[in-house]
Amino acid sequence: MTTKLNKPELSRRALLKSAAAGSVTLAASATVTTGATTAAKALEKETKENPITTKQDWNQVLGDGVDANPYGKPSEYEKNVIRRSVPWLTASPESSINFTPLHELDGIITPNGLCFERHHAGIAEVDPTEHRLMINGLVDKPLVFTMEDLKRFPRTNKIYFLECAANSGMEWRGAQLNGCQFTHGMIHCVNYTGVLLKDILAEAGLKTNAKWLMPEGADASGMNRSVPIEKALKDCMVAFKMNGEALRPEQGYPLRLVIPGWEGNMWVKWLRRIEVGDMPWHAREETSKYTDLMENGKARRFTWEMDCKSIITNPSPQAPITHGKGHTVLTGLAWSGRGTIDRVDITLDGGKNWQKARIDGPSLDKALHRFYFEFEWDGRPLLLQSRAIDSTGYIQPTKDELREVRGTNSIYHNNGIQTWHVNGKGEAENVEIS
């Protein structure tokens, strides 16, 4: 015997709402409409004041079936959790950036749909069946791999952060953008699946004078960078998945290079060729771009490693304290391109007093670390800062300390301590005090 499920009737609340909006004609009676409007308002007031004792629509009718969203999607109540860009930062959206909403996330893994994007010629849409990876130059046997060829090498899974060299770059000359997302959101951390680059290079066979690699992308910019062979053989990957699914097109589908702990522009997306040579290529992206212009006019080159850094994500300008005085949870992220994070210190008073934060979750090499600091807020204004110390003993500097060495001409590798001012209402603002 089968039981027929009747389509659920319109709930009382929805019916009253519809009547109030005039979309349902009951009796075309002004009296009925007025009565329904009054009842709807009363019900909404009751729901707002007593949500735990009020019957809701969602517990009186059947919900969507299992196939309503075959790939899944976030709750409609989380629609504000998105990547955002700053239109005036760049001349064109095809060669631009957007930012990860760090203040909306927790843990250390970034959802694929929220990983920041940086393109030099827009998103390349590549058919994986036609995609090839070529190895040429100083090798015994030049090779061309299909995607299927690559997936037959031994696979590895690693969680790494990826940070753009220009992350926080607008802050070199002082506080600029009022949001954690916009000041520090050019970073994400995911689980990459792929094959080790050293295995692919071994298949081709390196000549004895092989010292450098030049990975090249299949996008319209032909993005390329010089990579020393020591790093390539140490821990670099050729990845085809992130967080278990295929790379997103904006993250280099179907293939990207992973260079753990080093600046993001070297993680070439839509990877199509790796040339092996005996010296760096001095390409545009490593001469006129991605160098650190110093105060004396000279530029630092090959500053690949990302320095130890931390940031308080909550409270912050986009995530103010809304609960008033009392128990408060402060949280943030720390990372280092040289290893793990040993400790994160927190100050509530602009550096007069420091206390140790609690790192929670995995502490992985060249990955994000999540920290928390719980305290009782008495409503006084706060000057919040975090200071990270990595496994090499390196201590995150203040912005002033950084400027003493580097000047203010560069936009890259700004790992200075960030300050948020929180006023008595719990509102936060980007400021600078050290």
Side-chain angles (χ1 to χ4, degrees), residues 165-240:
N167 198 21
S168 316
M170 291 293 292
E171 303 289 301
W172 269 109
R173 299 188 180 186
Q176 297 290 325
L177 299 172
N178 210 27
C180 178
Q181 179 173 16
F182 302 116
T183 52
H184 304 283
M186 284 194 280
I187 187 168
H188 60 70
C189 185
V190 305
N191 179 36
Y192 290 100
T193 302
V195 299
L196 293 175
L197 181 55
K198 67 178 183 181
D199 290 342
I200 299 173
L201 295 174
E203 187 77 4
L206 293 174
K207 299 283 190 184
T208 56
N209 57 339
K211 301 296 182 186
W212 290 81
L213 304 181
M214 187 195 70
E216 179 184 75
D219 61 323
S221 75
M223 181 69 184
N224 62 4
R225 287 296 308 266
S226 298
V227 180
I229 198 74
E230 293 83 4
K231 179 66 173 176
L233 299 178
K234 179 182 178 184
D235 56 6
C236 290
M237 294 171 59
V238 175
F240 40 80

Side-chain angles (χ1 to χ4, degrees), residues 272-290:
R272 70 174 178 185
R273 189 171 74 94
I274 297 176
E275 183 174 345
V276 182
D278 58 0
M279 60 180 65
W281 277 259
H282 303 294
R284 186 187 82 112
E285 305 299 344
E286 53 202 23
T287 51
S288 68
K289 307 295 181 184
Y290 299 112

Side-chain angles (χ1 to χ4, degrees), residues 13 25 31 66 103 155 167 231 235 334 366:
R13 184 182 175 196
T25 303
T31 301
V66 293
H103 61 292
R155 298 188 195 182
N167 198 21
K231 179 66 173 176
D235 56 6
K366 302 177 183 65

Side-chain angles (χ1 to χ4, degrees), residues 9 19 43 45 54 111 161 184 192 213 249 280 291 294 303 344 350 360 366 391 393-394 413-414 418:
E9 295 180 356
L43 183 59
K45 183 174 184 295
T54 304
F161 78 81
H184 304 283
Y192 290 100
L213 304 181
T291 56
M294 306 292 282
T303 51
V344 178
D360 190 85
K366 302 177 183 65
S391 51
Y394 177 93
H413 295 275
N414 183 350
Q418 172 67 47

Side-chain angles (χ1 to χ4, degrees), residues 34-76:
T34 302
T37 302
T38 302
K41 289 182 177 177
L43 183 59
E44 286 185 357
K45 183 174 184 295
E46 180 185 353
T47 301
K48 185 176 182 180
E49 294 178 351
N50 301 295
I52 193 65
T53 58
T54 304
K55 285 188 175 180
Q56 308 286 350
D57 291 345
W58 60 81
N59 59 25
Q60 299 181 73
V61 299
L62 293 175
D64 290 333
V66 293
D67 291 329
N69 298 292
Y71 202 89
K73 64 178 183 179
S75 164
E76 64 175 297

Side-chain angles (χ1 to χ4, degrees), residues 14-315:
L15 181 65
L16 293 177
K17 274 189 168 181
S18 298
S23 60
V24 175
T25 303
L26 294 177
S29 166
T31 301
V32 171
T33 302
T34 302
T37 302
T38 302
K41 289 182 177 177
L43 183 59
E44 286 185 357
K45 183 174 184 295
E46 180 185 353
T47 301
K48 185 176 182 180
E49 294 178 351
N50 301 295
I52 193 65
T53 58
T54 304
K55 285 188 175 180
Q56 308 286 350
D57 291 345
W58 60 81
N59 59 25
Q60 299 181 73
V61 299
L62 293 175
D64 290 333
V66 293
D67 291 329
N69 298 292
Y71 202 89
K73 64 178 183 179
S75 164
E76 64 175 297
Y77 301 104
E78 299 294 323
K79 60 185 177 184
N80 193 48
V81 183
I82 56 173
R83 294 179 288 224
R84 291 183 175 84
S85 62
V86 179
W88 52 263
L89 274 182
T90 55
S92 160
E94 290 80 15
S95 180
S96 189
I97 54 175
N98 59 22
F99 304 86
T100 301
L102 299 178
H103 61 292
E104 298 280 9
L105 305 178
D106 220 314
I108 68 167
I109 298 296
T110 313
N112 290 349
L114 296 177
C115 292
F116 82 96
E117 301 170 57
R118 169 69 171 108
H119 310 311
H120 294 78
I123 301 170
E125 295 288 350
V126 180
D127 182 345
T129 64
E130 298 178 356
H131 190 66
R132 301 290 185 270
L133 173 63
M134 182 169 73
I135 309 292
N136 69 321
L138 297 177
V139 294
D140 297 329
K141 182 175 55 176
L143 295 171
V144 176
F145 299 99
T146 67
M147 289 299 296
E148 292 302 313
D149 293 335
L150 293 169
K151 291 178 179 177
R152 296 173 67 187
F153 281 88
R155 298 188 195 182
T156 187
N157 287 276
K158 294 287 185 181
I159 296 175
Y160 291 127
F161 78 81
L162 187 165
E163 183 181 17
C164 177
N167 198 21
S168 316
M170 291 293 292
E171 303 289 301
W172 269 109
R173 299 188 180 186
Q176 297 290 325
L177 299 172
N178 210 27
C180 178
Q181 179 173 16
F182 302 116
T183 52
H184 304 283
M186 284 194 280
I187 187 168
H188 60 70
C189 185
V190 305
N191 179 36
Y192 290 100
T193 302
V195 299
L196 293 175
L197 181 55
K198 67 178 183 181
D199 290 342
I200 299 173
L201 295 174
E203 187 77 4
L206 293 174
K207 299 283 190 184
T208 56
N209 57 339
K211 301 296 182 186
W212 290 81
L213 304 181
M214 187 195 70
E216 179 184 75
D219 61 323
S221 75
M223 181 69 184
N224 62 4
R225 287 296 308 266
S226 298
V227 180
I229 198 74
E230 293 83 4
K231 179 66 173 176
L233 299 178
K234 179 182 178 184
D235 56 6
C236 290
M237 294 171 59
V238 175
F240 40 80
K241 293 194 175 181
M242 52 191 289
N243 291 337
E245 68 172 16
L247 295 170
R248 298 283 176 101
E250 65 268 28
Q251 301 299 334
Y253 178 85
L255 206 61
R256 89 172 303 170
L257 186 61
V258 171
I259 306 185
W262 287 20
E263 58 188 33
N265 61 80
M266 304 180 75
W267 301 41
V268 173
K269 297 187 284 189
W270 313 288
L271 182 66
R272 70 174 178 185
R273 189 171 74 94
I274 297 176
E275 183 174 345
V276 182
D278 58 0
M279 60 180 65
W281 277 259
H282 303 294
R284 186 187 82 112
E285 305 299 344
E286 53 202 23
T287 51
S288 68
K289 307 295 181 184
Y290 299 112
T291 56
D292 307 326
L293 186 59
M294 306 292 282
E295 200 70 13
N296 61 6
K298 293 185 177 180
R300 300 195 312 166
R301 296 186 59 202
F302 299 146
T303 51
W304 304 302
E305 266 183 340
M306 299 310 294
D307 292 317
C308 174
K309 189 172 176 180
S310 68
I311 176 68
I312 294 172
T313 58
N314 306 71

